[in-house]
Amino acid sequence: MPAKPKPKLAVWKFASCDGCQLSLLDCEDELLDVAGAMDIAYFPEATRTVLEGPYDLSLVEGSITTPHDAERIHQIRRDSRFLVTIGACATAGGIQALRNFKDVREFTRIVYACPEYIETLRRSTAVAEHVRVDFELRGCPINKRQLLEVISAYLNGRKPLVPTYSVCQECKRQGVVCVMVAHGTPCLGPVTQAGCGALCPSYNRGCYACFGPKETPNVSSLSRWWTERLDVSDLNVVRSLRTFNAAATEFEKESIRHEH
Ligand code: SF4
Ligand code: SF4
């Protein structure tokens, strides 16, 4: 009996730094298992081999920032049975979504000698604003363990087990002393989705919210705590919320409130 064909994996790039794709290559011990279970059909970062679609699992990195990308993502959706966005760029527009708060034409005029050749959209947007997404994996960059969980869940026909609770829970489990309570260091952990293993608090730093808003975050309560008890200025609240996930709805709304 002929062997059953392996499912096809494709990895796509839009506006991004490639860091999330590298997380897959970073799975050194597990990469051969992934290659054994799936055909790596499209992954220009890793191989020149290109197998024709349709693809069973597509991992999409990066945000939509050009008219061409806004068309290309629809073709990828049509070619993909299961589409997973990976990283803050793809799930929230990324750091490049800072343009959303200004006039992007002003930036192109300053940066490029001939800005008339630059075709760019006014806003950097998450892939989910353009096409149906089956699962969003957060982080800047993503956590490679969580990525392997998503691939394994796909192969086994189950839902990925990725937590939506806050970084505070990771802190508590690891016995990390709370930097906000103990030292008055502003920390975005209470409103940020877990996934990093509370990396920054475990080195006595406040969380920078790389994994974006947790499920039902109370961002206004946290920013009130910051301004009233930690004496953080409105400007610094805005700066803290406008990093990797600046355009995530909950962060965007609160940063605009403090800006005004
Ligand atoms: S989410 Fe962060 S690490 Fe991933 S591609 Fe975007 S900027 Fe790079
Ligand atoms: S350090 Fe930050 S993430 Fe950790 S418990 Fe305190 S507020 Fe939460």
Side-chain angles (χ1 to χ4, degrees), residues 16-20 61 87-89 139-141:
S16 58
C17 80
D18 288 30
C20 289
E61 175 197 83
C89 297
C140 182

Side-chain angles (χ1 to χ4, degrees), residues 68-88:
H68 176 243
D69 282 352
E71 283 174 22
R72 191 162 64 97
I73 190 61
H74 283 279
Q75 185 58 49
I76 290 170
R77 176 67 269 188
R78 283 192 287 275
D79 285 346
S80 308
R81 282 188 51 219
F82 201 78
L83 188 151
V84 175
T85 47
I86 55 170

Side-chain angles (χ1 to χ4, degrees), residues 8-12 55-60 76 79-85:
K8 286 185 188 167
L9 173 70
V11 185
W12 308 94
Y55 304 99
D56 295 288
L57 173 61
S58 274
L59 303 176
V60 181
I76 290 170
D79 285 346
S80 308
R81 282 188 51 219
F82 201 78
L83 188 151
V84 175
T85 47

Side-chain angles (χ1 to χ4, degrees), residues 168 177-190 201 205-206 222 225-226 230:
C168 291
V177 174
C178 177
V179 298
M180 197 147 63
V181 172
H183 314 296
T185 304
C187 179
L188 284 167
R205 307 286 302 258
L222 181 70
W225 180 284
W226 280 25
L230 305 181

Side-chain angles (χ1 to χ4, degrees), residues 158-213:
R158 61 174 173 80
K159 194 176 168 207
L161 202 60
V162 172
T164 53
Y165 52 68
S166 75
V167 176
C168 291
Q169 289 207 32
E170 295 190 302
C171 254
K172 297 298 153 219
R173 285 204 191 114
Q174 293 174 36
V176 172
V177 174
C178 177
V179 298
M180 197 147 63
V181 172
H183 314 296
T185 304
C187 179
L188 284 167
V191 295
T192 301
Q193 184 165 301
C196 61
L199 195 58
C200 292
S202 62
Y203 284 94
N204 264 327
R205 307 286 302 258
C207 164
Y208 291 92
C210 305
F211 280 64

Side-chain angles (χ1 to χ4, degrees), residues 103-258:
D103 179 0
V104 72
R105 285 167 308 178
E106 208 179 303
F107 298 145
T108 55
R109 272 199 302 272
I110 293 168
V111 173
Y112 298 101
C114 301
E116 62 275 20
Y117 293 119
I118 304 297
E119 281 191 11
T120 190
L121 297 172
R122 198 179 62 75
R123 296 172 68 241
S124 167
T125 44
V127 170
E129 286 193 34
H130 300 262
V131 294
R132 180 175 56 80
V133 168
D134 297 300
F135 191 78
E136 291 188 318
L137 191 61
R138 305 277 201 77
C140 182
I142 52 169
N143 174 313
K144 67 178 186 181
R145 296 270 145 229
Q146 290 192 340
L147 178 61
L148 288 169
E149 163 60 15
V150 166
I151 295 173
S152 157
Y154 170 76
L155 289 170
N156 290 289
R158 61 174 173 80
K159 194 176 168 207
L161 202 60
V162 172
T164 53
Y165 52 68
S166 75
V167 176
C168 291
Q169 289 207 32
E170 295 190 302
C171 254
K172 297 298 153 219
R173 285 204 191 114
Q174 293 174 36
V176 172
V177 174
C178 177
V179 298
M180 197 147 63
V181 172
H183 314 296
T185 304
C187 179
L188 284 167
V191 295
T192 301
Q193 184 165 301
C196 61
L199 195 58
C200 292
S202 62
Y203 284 94
N204 264 327
R205 307 286 302 258
C207 164
Y208 291 92
C210 305
F211 280 64
K214 73 182 258 290
E215 198 176 33
T216 62
N218 194 341
V219 191
S220 60
S221 170
L222 181 70
S223 65
R224 194 165 56 246
W225 180 284
W226 280 25
T227 51
E228 289 177 5
R229 303 203 186 199
L230 305 181
D231 209 19
V232 176
S233 66
D234 284 316
L235 178 62
N236 281 336
V237 172
V238 173
R239 283 180 174 156
S240 300
L241 291 171
R242 288 188 186 167
T243 56
F244 321 101
N245 291 279
T249 311
E250 297 87 344
F251 289 178
E252 183 181 63
K253 229 167 85 187
E254 190 62 12
S255 75
I256 290 172
R257 203 171 70 79
H258 283 268

